Amino acid sequence: MQVYDVIIIGSGLAALTAAGRLSLDRNVILFTKSQDKDSNSYQAQGGVAAAIAADDDWQQHFTDTMNAGAFHNLSKNLEQLTKQGVSTITELIKEGMHFDKGTDGNLDLAKEGGHLKRRILHAGGDATGKALVSFMLSLLKEKVEIREYEMAVDLMIQNGHCIGVHATCADGEIRQYQAPATIIATGGCGQVYTYNSNDSTITGDGIAMAYRAGALLTDMEFIQFHPTVLYQNKRAIGLISEAVRGEGAFLQDRQGNRIMEGVHEHKDLAPRDIVARTIFNEMERGEDVFLNISPVRHFSRRFPTIHQLCKRYGLDPAGQLLPVIPAAHFLMGGIKADSNGETSIDGLFAVGETACTGVHGANRIASNSLLEAMVFGNRTAERILEKRTKMPANTNDSLNVDHHTASLPDKQEISERMSKNVGVIRTRQGLEEMKNWLEQFDFLHINQLTLTKDEIETINMLTVSWLITTSALERNASIGSHFRADYPVPVQHAGRKEIIRHISENIVEPV
């Protein structure tokens, strides 16, 4: 048994931000099941949205975010995000983080979908996430113990308090770690869909762990599908940032028709859910959809990562249309948390995409995710420091490693069925088919500590797929990213759908 002040699960920007602040005053250990740079944050091409320009303010950023989120956003938390975003970015720049600047020496602010102002900061063109994660890791050097290739498997809960985690190493050894505060920052669940933009490690682990522990979850039906993921040979091969359309690129069919004409007032820069559904409907009719980047000036210099991606797959962005497909990108729901990261379980915190603070509503606006990671990562750290949480008096936790055999499907079958039945457009028939298929697997009663890493990930994918599916069945309405073909008329703010596991009965219950 090893004891720390704070345990952090995950290595994305939210985890690193919290770790940076906490390491000044606390003994912190951070777990990542792969390498420390294997995260969605590191891959993020888009930038950071903040109302930092002289002609902008937090109220306008707030309004644009509410509009994109179908007014399902929690306004109090969103106000904190948009207000504190400016000071967070300003402080980061003072610490030495470099964002791209124009020829005039000022920050080169871009415009992306849903934003009516140019307020997106980038670094390295389209490598903002890489720059931010690398910068944060440099600040943490020798301050935080980072355990790579060690996977947190389940939370240790005693008398309603989270006291730590069980973890498994690459060699299968099981270890216990205790701390009065544990932060889940494991990202979303993109790998439960065939076409996704996520890192290969993102299998919903933190959300599944929290659910098994009895934490309250909310809004799990809201999965954002990014409209423009490069598509080749029936494979999603890489994200094409929304910033490309912000610089003038547009969507068209093979005949040259611009598909967003007449669909939304902001055309190709409409909120992501609207653009994704438009592309999906075109493809359902047998049409191919392409991104035309001919209007974008200096594409290879402005978007070097995307340019190299195209070249790697034999595409010439200067002379070819780029085939695209909507792909699972971001989970707006997750572990219910306030703006300080506190969950329904004492001692357990959640931050980043794993958490649902309500700031994104039913559909996240572009480039608010990295901002959320930093603003709420800092707030969560401050709350832990303020609370000075102590371990419960009795913290003995038995370790049950009796072997159980798990009968599980392969991951590909899970993702294929989720894409078919719980994708961009949903129906009751498809959702019920998915639910019935999932429930043939006993994923809630298997001892995780007896399984391989691959089996644990499969169980987590089954758990999260079931949570998404059952939540989507509960919401008989279309709002934001959740579109029911049997309830096609969009509505605004239809109430939150919260779910909690009643451990004694092993059921999921909407609240």
Side-chain angles (χ1 to χ4, degrees):
M1 182 72 68
Q2 299 181 53
V3 180
Y4 293 81
D5 295 324
V6 183
I7 292 169
I8 300 178
I9 309 169
S11 62
L13 188 59
L16 298 178
T17 300
R21 176 66 188 91
L22 287 164
S23 66
L24 301 176
D25 301 278
R26 296 289 188 273
N27 184 17
V28 179
I29 185 170
L30 184 150
F31 294 99
T32 177
K33 66 179 180 179
S34 188
Q35 296 181 339
D36 57 10
K37 292 181 179 178
D38 290 336
S39 66
N40 282 348
S41 296
Y42 190 80
Q43 292 188 8
Q45 297 173 355
V48 184
I52 204 165
D55 65 344
D56 201 2
D57 56 55
W58 73 266
Q59 289 98 332
Q60 293 183 68
H61 187 184
F62 176 96
T63 299
D64 289 349
T65 303
M66 289 289 288
N67 283 325
F71 296 90
H72 189 70
N73 320 60
L74 285 178
S75 58
K76 177 183 176 182
N77 291 352
L78 179 56
E79 181 176 335
Q80 291 173 335
L81 177 70
T82 51
K83 273 184 175 179
Q84 294 176 23
V86 175
S87 59
T88 297
I89 294 298
T90 302
E91 185 61 32
L92 199 62
I93 293 172
K94 286 181 181 178
E95 291 176 357
M97 175 64 197
H98 297 287
F99 290 100
D100 295 343
K101 294 183 179 180
T103 54
D104 59 0
N106 295 319
L107 289 170
D108 187 14
L109 300 175
K111 187 177 181 181
E112 295 181 5
H115 294 278
L116 301 186
K117 292 280 188 178
R118 298 186 75 89
R119 63 168 66 101
I120 316 300
L121 298 91
H122 287 88
D126 54 2
T128 310
K130 178 180 179 180
L132 279 166
V133 169
S134 299
F135 176 73
M136 294 303 297
L137 281 170
S138 71
L139 297 181
L140 293 180
K141 187 179 292 186
E142 299 178 1
K143 294 180 180 178
V144 171
E145 183 178 349
I146 298 178
R147 294 284 184 91
E148 294 181 304
Y149 298 103
E150 191 161 351
M151 183 179 184
V153 176
D154 261 326
L155 299 170
M156 296 162 58
I157 306 295
Q158 193 169 91
N159 300 323
H161 188 105
C162 181
I163 61 170
V165 299
H166 297 295
T168 182
C169 305
D171 62 4
E173 180 187 355
I174 300 166
R175 297 175 180 169
Q176 289 180 305
Y177 300 86
Q178 288 193 354
T182 298
I183 301 174
I184 298 180
T186 53
C189 56
Q191 292 300 324
V192 304
Y193 289 94
T194 302
Y195 301 124
N196 71 81
S197 65
N198 286 200
D199 188 86
S200 61
T201 61
I202 307 301
T203 50
D205 305 325
I207 295 165
M209 276 192 288
Y211 176 69
R212 287 193 291 268
L216 192 65
L217 310 181
T218 187
D219 285 355
M220 286 295 295
E221 67 272 31
F222 293 126
I223 302 288
Q224 181 177 86
F225 291 83
H226 196 289
T228 53
V229 170
L230 197 60
Y231 183 58
Q232 189 180 70
N233 298 325
K234 297 185 177 181
R235 290 177 56 228
I237 57 177
L239 185 71
I240 300 179
S241 171
E242 195 149 13
V244 178
R245 279 176 284 137
E247 297 302 317
F250 59 87
L251 294 158
Q252 66 168 76
D253 61 19
R254 192 173 292 280
Q255 291 73 41
N257 301 308
R258 296 183 62 160
I259 68 169
M260 292 306 297
E261 290 285 344
V263 175
H264 190 275
E265 60 180 325
H266 299 310
K267 300 179 182 178
D268 293 272
L269 289 178
R272 287 176 176 172
D273 63 311
I274 294 171
V275 182
R277 281 197 298 275
T278 303
I279 296 173
F280 180 85
N281 285 329
E282 290 290 316
M283 296 183 77
E284 284 289 285
R285 295 193 301 109
E287 287 284 354
D288 295 319
V289 177
F290 303 88
L291 188 66
N292 187 327
I293 67 162
S294 60
V296 181
R297 299 178 59 194
H298 310 298
F299 180 82
S300 62
R301 188 169 72 233
R302 172 65 181 83
F303 301 104
T305 304
I306 301 170
H307 183 262
Q308 288 302 316
L309 172 70
C310 293
K311 290 291 188 181
R312 191 182 315 138
Y313 287 93
L315 298 169
D316 179 11
Q320 285 182 268
L321 297 172
L322 303 181
V324 294
I325 189 173
H329 184 59
F330 192 90
L331 170 67
M332 276 72 69
I335 305 167
K336 187 180 181 182
D338 63 17
S339 62
N340 298 318
E342 293 190 277
T343 73
S344 59
I345 295 178
D346 191 28
L348 180 65
F349 298 78
V351 68
E353 190 177 350
T354 301
C356 181
T357 60
V359 295
H360 304 304
N363 179 46
R364 177 172 68 79
I365 198 170
S367 292
N368 267 8
S369 57
L370 294 179
L371 184 72
E372 175 195 24
M374 292 185 289
V375 171
F376 290 156
N378 277 316
R379 289 182 63 92
T380 298
E382 293 294 343
R383 181 58 175 155
I384 291 171
L385 294 171
E386 175 188 280
K387 284 188 73 171
R388 297 188 176 276
T389 305
K390 296 181 179 180
M391 292 288 287
N394 178 16
T395 57
N396 293 322
D397 192 81
S398 60
L399 189 62
N400 179 11
V401 292
D402 292 339
H403 182 73
H404 291 81
T405 301
S407 175
L408 301 170
D410 61 41
K411 294 175 181 177
Q412 183 178 342
E413 185 173 9
I414 298 171
S415 62
E416 286 176 352
R417 287 178 177 272
M418 282 293 288
S419 296
K420 175 187 174 184
N421 296 306
V422 200
V424 177
I425 294 179
R426 302 157 177 180
T427 65
R428 174 165 292 279
Q429 180 180 350
L431 293 170
E432 288 179 342
E433 179 182 323
M434 188 69 206
K435 180 175 180 288
N436 291 335
W437 182 81
L438 288 165
E439 289 179 349
Q440 69 181 295
F441 304 103
D442 193 21
F443 50 86
L444 290 181
H445 302 92
I446 299 172
N447 185 349
Q448 313 292 308
L449 301 180
T450 68
L451 306 178
T452 65
K453 176 185 172 184
D454 187 71
E455 288 173 326
I456 295 167
E457 287 182 336
T458 301
I459 285 177
N460 291 341
M461 288 174 65
L462 286 168
T463 303
V464 172
S465 295
W466 182 64
L467 290 166
I468 295 167
T469 302
T470 52
S471 298
L473 268 168
E474 284 291 329
R475 190 177 294 283
N476 294 327
S478 289
I479 175 171
S481 62
H482 171 67
F483 191 89
R484 289 278 297 264
D486 40 352
Y487 296 91
V489 180
V491 300
Q492 287 187 345
H493 193 76
R496 318 205 87 79
K497 296 292 184 182
E498 297 177 348
I499 47 181
I500 187 169
R501 182 182 177 198
H502 291 257
I503 298 175
S504 60
E505 301 172 36
N506 294 305
I507 61 171
V508 65
E509 181 174 302
V511 179

